[in-house]
Amino acid sequence: MTEVLHTVAVERPLLLAIDDLQWADSGTAALLFHLGRRLAGSRILLTCAYRPEGLHQRPDLRDLEDPRDLRSVLQELRREWGDVLVDLDQVDGRAFVEAYVDSEPNRLGTSFRQALYDHTGGNPLFTVELLRGFEREGALAQDQAGRWVEAAAPDWARLPPQVEAVIAGHMAGLSEQDRLLLEVASVEGERFTAEVAARVLDWDEETAVRHLSGPLSTRHRLVEGLSLDRLPFSGQRLSRYRFRHALVQGSAYRGLDPVLRARLHEATGRALTAIYAGEEERSPAGASVQGPALAPELARHFEAAGMPFEAARHHLEAGRWAVRLAAHDEALAHLQRGLAARAGVSASEKRRQLEWGLCLTIINPAMLQQGWQAPVYRQAMARLADLTRHPHPQDDPQRVATALTVLTRLTSWSADPEQGRRVGEQLLKLVQDGRQGDREARTVAHWALGDSHWALGELVSAREHLEQALALHDPGAGRPRDIPSGFTPGVMARAVLGYTQWLLGYPDQARDTLGEALASVGEVEQPLSTAFTYLVAGVVFSMLGRDVSAALRHAVVLRSLSEGGPPCSAWAELLEAQAFTEAMGNAADGEFQELPTAPAGPNPELEQALTRAREAGLALQAMGSGMGQSCQLLVQAQILQRAGRPQLGLEVMDQAVAWIERTGVRVTEAEVWRMRGEL
């Protein structure tokens, strides 16, 4: 055969390609052995493709004249010709995905390409077959120009038969122990931990590592090791691995029947809990461990295991952590899933305590992301109010005090000051009765009542309560216990006190108090308190102080604080529009005077500023701007006055007067009438 090939190659160059070399018989192995030694000087290019794991399954080829298996043949070729191997596992799989997708005209975007790579790992067979499957199912189609586009949402969870067959073949070749280990690992996810799988299987940790770093990595190439980590306090090792392809993990997971799948999720959740419980026991008091970061994973496992109480409890922990990080969307997702899971828990004291936590925690992110009128916000407020009206004898007074604080704070700011005052008085009575009499509880009681009286326009009473709150507040005591609304009483009370002092006619005191509030926000590490303080300062300097430059400085900071959510962004837009209008007026007049009521001609920049102000106002109204509605209307009226539009300004003030009468929020009533008189 070697002579024949050499003879053919004399007349023309010859490409000899051998696919699936791992299945070669003895004749092919002998040919390669002899041909490899006689390639020099010929016009023969020899290429072979093989799966390395297949070579380990081949017996020795006893019928060769010089007995050797395929591995020996390959070693001989490398000895003769050097490094002629190309390891396709080491090439850039993402580059292959991009190149293959672009081999035909298409309009498939970045998200589709990333999903394709995430699901296939760049494996050529998986990539090609998955795309062909999408074409057959109609998820991909050609438009009129012949370009491939997404015609429907691709079903990433379903595998083409060819891919299923390849993966099934791999799994069928595993020992019973290896297959069981992969099934358990698939429950944890594409990335998993050997120690967790070992606990689930009741194996020794070293046994699990030997299987994963041994045959499953080297022969079958189904997983690969990532890192060896240690928990800082307990020293517990965490051997990190991942499935080489997400499709393999998905196939192993789908192979579990519903009963076994649920049991393995429960076992995985308990194994993770046990590992990190040891860390909690050994960590110094106050040290941060990975419990909160682990909560979403535990919630997922217990949810899949059909354990609603455990799932809801961990969703609550994950939601609290997200609130602390001002990740409002993530917090809402966890807390809403927690509330849904809570519905599956039978009525008990444990369920009531769970409801306390979920309702307390969800209020603030719901308000910041969806506004005061959001159904989830209103439902949580109503349930929390019901729980505080009918406290159970076993209720923790601290929890009741916290709930009353949040209700007082938010009912005042959601334009229901009478309800806020009633709840505040209930809180103060709880403190005075001695059921919750520590200094911190008295601080939040006076802070909550100060807010309520301030919203009602009862400024002297508001100042008294706020000053008492600040006198009781201990800055060195750290963050108050479990105030899930995300507000710090000391900072918040000082900001509202500055507002109150200005309204009472003490602007110099107010400037000092607001300055102290702004200076203290960096010490509390409470993003929502920071956003609120800059918002109050911006509104006060704009609406009361008529110091637009100071208001603009606060607005610029406010815009940079993503923690405040859409309401703060809209307020920043409104205050910036006001500053722009003011600057235009100064440039036109050389001093502080209104622009002409009837400008000589249209001013595009002025119209743009008015549009920005109007859109910001509409955005705040759509979110339900709560107590801030009259403040927002006042700033809009100031902008219209400066722009020479007094009639529009009067219409805005009519809206403000009607809103004040409807809600009873009278803190801005005097300013509204003063503004109306100026207009």
Side-chain angles (χ1 to χ4, degrees), residues 458-596:
E458 299 166 356
L459 302 178
V460 174
S461 296
R463 180 176 61 181
E464 291 172 356
H465 282 291
L466 293 169
E467 287 176 345
Q468 287 184 69
L470 290 173
L472 289 165
H473 176 59
D474 180 7
R479 193 170 67 92
R481 291 172 301 187
D482 194 27
I483 301 293
S485 63
F487 296 121
T488 302
V491 176
M492 305 291 286
R494 188 166 275 110
V496 177
L497 178 60
Y499 197 149
T500 305
Q501 288 169 334
W502 206 308
L503 288 171
L504 285 171
Y506 302 100
D508 292 338
Q509 290 182 23
R511 286 190 181 92
D512 292 341
T513 302
L514 288 170
E516 292 170 4
L518 292 169
S520 65
V521 294
E523 303 171 3
V524 297
E525 296 184 1
Q526 184 50 265
L528 293 176
S529 293
T530 301
F532 173 82
T533 304
Y534 275 99
L535 172 57
V536 169
V539 170
V540 169
F541 279 104
S542 167
M543 190 180 72
L544 303 178
R546 299 298 182 97
D547 186 345
V548 179
S549 60
L552 178 60
R553 289 195 301 272
H554 299 314
V556 170
V557 177
L558 191 63
R559 183 180 288 281
S560 69
L561 298 173
S562 59
E563 301 90 345
C568 286
S569 298
W571 264 109
E573 183 76 9
L574 187 61
L575 294 173
E576 287 171 359
Q578 182 190 25
F580 183 78
T581 308
E582 181 73 21
M584 288 186 61
N586 290 340
D589 306 328
E591 57 184 13
F592 187 88
Q593 296 175 358
E594 283 74 15
L595 292 173

Side-chain angles (χ1 to χ4, degrees), residues 637-656:
Q638 288 179 341
I639 294 173
L640 291 166
Q641 178 195 31
R642 191 73 175 116
R645 310 286 176 86
Q647 189 57 47
L648 289 176
L650 285 169
E651 293 175 8
V652 169
M653 287 297 89
D654 286 343
Q655 296 176 35

Side-chain angles (χ1 to χ4, degrees), residues 163-193:
V163 175
E164 283 277 20
V166 169
I167 296 175
H170 281 301
M171 298 295 284
L174 300 178
S175 68
E176 181 66 20
Q177 281 190 319
D178 284 341
R179 182 185 57 76
L180 185 59
L181 179 56
L182 285 190
E183 288 175 346
V184 168
S186 74
V187 171
E188 192 174 354
E190 186 181 352
R191 294 171 181 260
F192 60 93
T193 310

Side-chain angles (χ1 to χ4, degrees), residues 214-237:
L216 289 171
S217 289
T218 57
R219 177 193 291 183
H220 303 292
R221 303 169 71 83
L222 294 174
V223 301
E224 63 180 349
L226 296 177
S227 65
L228 175 62
D229 303 325
R230 292 181 186 273
L231 293 178
F233 302 115
S234 65
Q236 167 69 51
R237 287 178 296 194

